[in-house]
Amino acid sequence: MAACRQCCSYLRLRPLGCGPLRPLGRPGRSRALTSSQVRELWSSSGSRAVAVDLGHRKLEISSGKLARFADGCAVVQSGDTAVMVTAVSKTKPSPSQFMPLVVDYRQKAAAAGRIPTNYLRREIGSSDKEILTSRIIDRSIRPLFPAGYFYDTQVICNLLAVDGINEPDILAINGASVALSLSDIPWNGPIGAVRIGMIDGECVVNPTRKEMSSSTLNLVVAGAPKSQIVMLEASAENVLQQDFCHAVKVGVKHTQQIIQGIQQLVKEIGVAKRTPQKIFTPSPEIVKYAHKIAMEKLYAVFTDYEHDKISRDEAVNKIRLDTEEQLKEKFPEVDQFEIIESFNVVAKEVFRSIILNEYKRCDGRDLTSLRNINCEVDMFKTLHGSALFQRGQTQRHWSNGLEVGQEIQVKYFGRDPADGRMRLSRKVLQSPAITAVKTLSDRSSIVMGEPVPQSSSNSSP
């Protein structure tokens, strides 16, 4: 029994002689497991897999072999790069008045067969790449959760293996879609995601890292069933509009193939979605009454182009307080959240209708106009450089300084004489601060990347 307790402690289970088995350390979970269910869970394979052919690339999706205690788990592989994604959601609602979704994408040095090169030889905090990838996954899956689903949900993406050829971020988006689709978590998926590159005017689906180095387009498309687009993210280098639109169409086409593969996998496994205890949405009756009270007042505020941001917010807040008081008198038994949310629904509806129907924004601009930007430079004489940029009521102040008698490393964009393309380069200036500032003010030597005086040296990026 002692050995049984030790093993069950490692597996975070109760020993066999202590009643029904439950996963420990998972607050909000009330799913009891009997001893026979646990034996069946670990003994049965239950693994399912499907392959999706994306031109000259193949996407392999599998589930049921790893992380069986999670609500949903999927392993997505392309080449020798594999990502495991798990999805877990509580069954009790969160006190937060929003969707508490956490997406965590982590890259491990062990996935490349290496040891971390930092001083502690341990994995450190999230890198910029990991944070940005987590945000892409979040933006792809968050809109498809039911409105008012305020239950703590986690989507964890772990990089199992990387071959240095295939990018793992696209695999993580598809893995999150599969994990949520195969779980009992309410989610209106699935989605499919691909990366589109453009090489010599041709669209390439899920290009390799080497191919991306010569691509003029980096487009990530996340699509839903019926050729709907959920998320787009792109960076490009002088790409024509018609070429970009064609790339989007190619991406949507291939996302539908991935979605069909996920739907096939869901049909084979046959998972039923859970029914949440409560969905936090206002009743249509309250929204209708709030619309009757506040619609005209909000329209008058949003079409008054004399307002700035602060005065407009104050006017809307005044209407909010008045509307909430009348709703409390009309519906005294209704929860406070429904009253607040009903006003938010009406305000959003009025704001959107003005933009979509009248093609006007709340400050009087049409859909193609930009706000004026004000720029000031050399604001403080004691600094080597200072500037202030302001657009509307948003400001950005910038200042720099150079240390005297030290090596000064300056980053600049210069034209590579080999291929004529603009590249990020560096120059190390050995001269004192006065000479350095004079050198920096010479636009021909810094911006265009031409040779600087003998006190400077070039180094490759």
Side-chain angles (χ1 to χ4, degrees):
M1 179 61 71
C4 177
R5 291 182 181 275
Q6 183 177 1
C7 295
C8 290
S9 175
Y10 177 77
L11 293 173
R12 305 181 71 81
L13 297 171
R14 296 183 187 276
L16 292 176
C18 298
L21 302 179
R22 300 175 183 270
L24 299 180
R26 300 280 291 281
R29 303 300 296 269
S30 59
R31 190 182 304 168
L33 299 177
T34 64
S35 58
S36 60
Q37 288 175 331
V38 172
R39 293 191 190 98
E40 181 182 0
L41 178 68
W42 291 108
S43 61
S44 63
S45 60
S47 179
R48 298 288 190 275
V50 66
V52 180
D53 192 6
L54 302 175
H56 60 290
R57 299 276 186 274
K58 181 177 287 188
L59 201 66
E60 300 177 2
I61 304 172
S62 61
S63 180
K65 185 176 182 179
L66 303 177
R68 300 179 187 177
F69 278 145
D71 290 334
C73 175
V75 177
V76 182
Q77 184 170 351
S78 178
D80 289 330
T81 299
V83 179
M84 181 184 72
V85 184
T86 56
V88 177
S89 183
K90 286 185 178 181
T91 57
K92 294 183 179 180
S94 169
S96 306
Q97 294 183 354
F98 60 91
M99 170 57 185
L101 173 64
V102 176
V103 179
D104 192 9
Y105 170 83
R106 289 300 178 94
Q107 293 180 342
K108 304 289 186 179
R114 298 180 181 178
I115 298 175
T117 57
N118 56 68
Y119 176 75
L120 298 175
R121 297 296 189 268
R122 298 289 188 276
E123 300 288 349
I124 56 177
S126 300
S127 63
D128 292 343
K129 172 65 174 177
E130 292 171 322
I131 294 173
L132 294 176
T133 303
S134 299
R135 291 178 180 177
I136 291 179
I137 301 171
D138 187 292
R139 296 201 309 272
S140 301
I141 64 177
R142 183 181 290 270
L144 299 181
F145 282 94
Y149 184 78
F150 297 160
Y151 294 76
D152 286 293
T153 306
Q154 288 187 350
V155 176
I156 309 299
C157 310
N158 287 302
L159 186 58
L160 301 181
V162 60
D163 56 8
I165 300 175
N166 300 281
E167 290 284 359
D169 52 355
I170 299 300
L171 306 184
I173 301 175
N174 291 303
S177 172
V178 179
L180 289 169
S181 299
L182 297 178
S183 70
D184 61 347
I185 302 173
W187 190 65
N188 301 319
I191 63 169
V194 294
R195 170 177 276 112
I196 302 296
M198 186 168 292
I199 303 175
D200 297 330
E202 297 292 332
C203 292
V204 180
V205 181
N206 288 348
T208 63
R209 292 187 178 184
K210 184 177 180 181
E211 290 174 338
M212 281 302 301
S213 63
S214 59
S215 175
T216 57
L217 176 66
N218 183 5
L219 171 64
V220 177
V221 181
K226 300 180 181 179
S227 299
Q228 296 177 325
I229 297 177
V230 179
M231 192 277 304
L232 289 175
E233 177 161 304
S235 60
E237 182 179 339
N238 298 327
V239 174
L240 298 177
Q241 180 179 354
Q242 57 265 29
D243 293 338
F244 182 81
C245 294
H246 175 67
V248 173
K249 292 180 181 179
V250 172
V252 171
K253 175 184 175 181
H254 286 84
T255 58
Q256 300 308 299
Q257 299 178 18
I258 298 175
I259 291 173
Q260 291 175 5
I262 298 175
Q263 290 174 339
Q264 176 185 346
L265 198 61
V266 172
K267 186 176 180 180
E268 292 179 2
I269 297 178
V271 178
K273 296 295 183 180
R274 73 176 73 156
T275 301
Q277 293 182 3
K278 183 179 179 180
I279 293 294
F280 297 85
T281 54
S283 64
E285 183 182 1
I286 302 177
V287 174
K288 184 178 180 180
Y289 190 75
H291 189 277
K292 178 181 178 182
I293 297 173
M295 193 273 290
E296 294 182 358
K297 299 178 183 178
L298 288 172
Y299 181 83
V301 172
F302 290 145
T303 55
D304 186 358
Y305 306 139
E306 299 298 326
H307 279 301
D308 58 11
K309 178 179 174 58
I310 297 177
S311 63
R312 185 183 302 109
D313 289 346
E314 291 176 350
V316 171
N317 191 49
K318 185 178 179 180
I319 300 173
R320 176 191 296 273
L321 296 176
D322 182 52
T323 304
E324 290 179 358
E325 295 235 348
Q326 297 186 48
L327 290 176
K328 289 178 183 178
E329 295 176 0
K330 179 72 173 178
F331 307 97
E333 73 285 352
V334 174
D335 186 56
Q336 177 69 16
F337 169 78
E338 291 194 46
I339 294 178
I340 297 174
E341 189 64 20
S342 61
F343 179 83
N344 294 336
V345 170
V346 175
K348 181 178 180 180
E349 179 184 345
V350 174
F351 192 87
R352 285 170 55 89
S353 65
I354 294 174
I355 295 177
L356 298 178
N357 298 330
E358 301 180 13
Y359 304 103
K360 286 286 187 180
R361 306 192 189 193
C362 58
D363 58 356
R365 292 179 294 127
D366 57 23
L367 302 184
T368 59
S369 299
L370 298 177
R371 291 177 296 171
N372 294 330
I373 183 171
N374 298 323
C375 308
E376 297 182 40
V377 296
D378 199 18
M379 299 178 60
F380 303 100
K381 301 298 181 182
T382 56
L383 300 178
H384 293 143
S386 59
L388 176 66
F389 299 89
Q390 179 170 343
R391 188 191 294 276
Q393 291 174 299
T394 302
Q395 295 177 321
R396 177 69 175 175
H397 179 260
W398 175 85
S399 63
N400 72 330
L402 300 175
E403 188 175 357
V404 180
Q406 300 290 332
E407 288 188 353
I408 305 163
Q409 189 178 76
V410 180
K411 294 183 179 180
Y412 72 100
F413 280 99
R415 193 173 300 278
D416 192 340
D419 55 8
R421 299 181 65 181
M422 298 296 291
R423 299 186 183 277
L424 181 64
S425 304
R426 297 180 178 89
K427 289 187 183 295
V428 179
L429 307 179
Q430 302 284 354
S431 53
I434 298 177
T435 307
V437 173
K438 182 179 179 182
T439 306
L440 288 175
S441 64
D442 185 0
R443 293 179 58 85
S444 63
S445 61
I446 296 299
V447 178
M448 299 307 296
E450 295 178 359
V452 297
Q454 295 180 356
S455 59
S456 302
S457 60
N458 296 332
S459 60
S460 59

